[in-house]
Amino acid sequence: MFAGLSLRQEALDVVQLHKCLLEKVLSLSEESIRKQENISYVRDAAEALSRVRGEGETRANVAFLMNPCRMPQIRDIAFAGEVMPQKSTDFYPKLLSGLTIYALD
């Protein structure tokens, strides 16, 4: 189930949700998850609960509330040259990408 992932990555809540529940139990493909065909991500727990209780286009059948990745987990994965899973590093407020990616001369 965790083939190709390190123990550092396996320990992430988001990896366990995706691999164990979404892919194995609900049979969603990695591609459909990546394209958000059957799922959507929200930052706010109240919004997630509202979607489960609501009706209409944004109604959800279920919501999963996740623990955030801890900074030591992100650091260890980055220093090992590994990549964090999709949506696991959605930080707010956003930094301007040019300041974090490109060298300033």
Side-chain angles (χ1 to χ4, degrees), residues 33-73:
I33 293 169
R34 187 173 31 261
K35 291 181 178 179
Q36 297 182 38
E37 292 175 353
N38 304 99
I39 62 174
S40 62
Y41 298 91
V42 295
R43 287 189 180 113
D44 186 62
E47 182 182 350
L49 295 174
S50 174
R51 288 187 181 195
V52 171
R53 293 179 181 141
E55 295 180 12
E57 279 187 39
T58 60
R59 186 180 186 315
N61 293 322
V62 66
F64 301 101
L65 304 179
M66 305 285 300
N67 291 314
C69 295
R70 296 184 312 276
M71 289 308 295
Q73 290 176 303

Side-chain angles (χ1 to χ4, degrees), residues 4-6 8-10 12 14-15 69 73-89:
L5 296 175
S6 70
R8 289 176 290 274
Q9 291 169 319
E10 288 178 23
L12 298 172
V14 67
V15 169
C69 295
Q73 290 176 303
I74 297 169
R75 181 198 61 220
D76 293 345
I77 288 172
F79 286 156
E82 299 169 0
V83 178
M84 294 291 291
Q86 176 187 14
K87 300 294 184 185
S88 63
T89 55

Side-chain angles (χ1 to χ4, degrees), residues 1-6 9-10 14-26 28 30:
M1 186 176 322
F2 295 114
L5 296 175
S6 70
Q9 291 169 319
E10 288 178 23
V14 67
V15 169
Q16 293 175 20
L17 172 71
H18 279 225
K19 294 296 182 187
C20 296
L21 190 63
L22 298 180
E23 292 178 21
K24 192 72 170 174
V25 175
L26 299 177
L28 299 178
E30 285 185 45

